[in-house]
Amino acid sequence: MANLPSTIIKSLRPVHWVKNLSLFAALIFTGNLFTEALLDNVVWAFIAFSLAASSSYIFNDILDARADRMHPIKKYRPVASGALSVSLALLLTAGLAIAAVIISSFLSFLFFISVTLFIALQFTYSLFLKNIIIVDIFAIASGFIIRVYAGAFVIDAHLSVWFLLCTISAALFLAAGKRRAELSVLSSTKGVTRKTLSLYNQPLLENQVAVVNYLRIELLRPFISQGKKSHALVAQVKNLGKIRLDFAQGIADFRLVIFIFVENDIGIDWR
């Protein structure tokens, strides 16, 4: 029992809360990063999504406990290892989800809908969507898209269609990259892994990653072009003349970091 607090914290996977930083995208790209009232809203939004994400992680761990015990990395997760009981895990799942919904209800109606939809999507993914080829990739990508637009809803901001398309392509790139990384270590898990991976093959995932990466880069062009004319943040940076936005290098670095991350920690859950 002495280790229960640390076990609970580990089950929340706080390291993965970094994904919820995408909620700040709208705040940054509308030039309102230093607007205190809006920043406060996004910080609370970050907390709400972190609780919602942790709830879905624990729920997934409960469902996958038996399979995780045979996985070289996932077997050390609290539920799979027996460090956290299923009953307490269920209680945490419900409590975190309820807390996330309550916090979201105080921010905005559309944000409340976003959090509710996100929780429903993650639970549905854990129950069966992750076992449907191609659909699983779109489900993972949808989680990233909801985060970005929830960040816009909470500050009542409008994001361009190009921003939406860039978000979708980047989300699909991450999701396809996750599956590609999992498939690349299939041999090390001795066949014990996701059901859908038996339906995927390396050329298919390589092609998916290549296509969505190409789309992501091409869609950045009109988004950046539009930004030069109307983007508040880009305009501010241009006026200061102190920061050089090297988009091409940024894309390359981003892709490199993502693949290093997923290739070397296959136990990660990119939702």
Side-chain angles (χ1 to χ4, degrees), residues 73-198:
I73 296 175
K74 296 179 181 180
K75 65 181 179 182
Y76 297 111
R77 288 178 175 175
V79 178
S81 66
L84 187 68
S85 67
V86 173
S87 57
L88 181 54
L90 284 170
L91 184 62
L92 286 170
T93 297
L96 291 167
I98 292 171
V101 171
I102 290 175
I103 292 174
S104 68
S105 68
F106 286 101
L107 295 175
S108 81
F109 176 72
L110 287 177
F111 181 75
F112 167 78
I113 295 298
S114 298
V115 170
T116 304
L117 179 61
F118 177 81
I119 293 173
L121 173 67
Q122 300 309 308
F123 280 28
T124 305
Y125 174 88
S126 294
L127 287 169
F128 64 88
L129 291 182
K130 65 182 179 182
N131 296 321
I132 305 175
I133 188 172
I134 304 300
V135 173
D136 61 332
I137 289 180
F138 279 94
I140 295 172
S142 297
F144 287 100
I145 296 167
I146 291 174
R147 285 181 176 97
V148 171
Y149 270 78
F153 294 147
V154 79
I155 62 172
D156 195 25
H158 171 73
L159 297 177
S160 71
V161 65
W162 293 114
F163 187 86
L164 171 61
L165 293 174
C166 286
T167 300
I168 292 173
S169 60
L172 287 172
F173 173 72
L174 290 173
K178 175 183 186 293
R179 285 291 182 262
R180 172 187 174 277
E182 289 178 328
L183 190 62
S184 69
V185 296
L186 182 60
S187 58
S188 67
T189 61
K190 298 179 181 180
V192 180
T193 184
R194 297 184 187 278
K195 296 178 181 178
T196 45
L197 287 183
S198 62

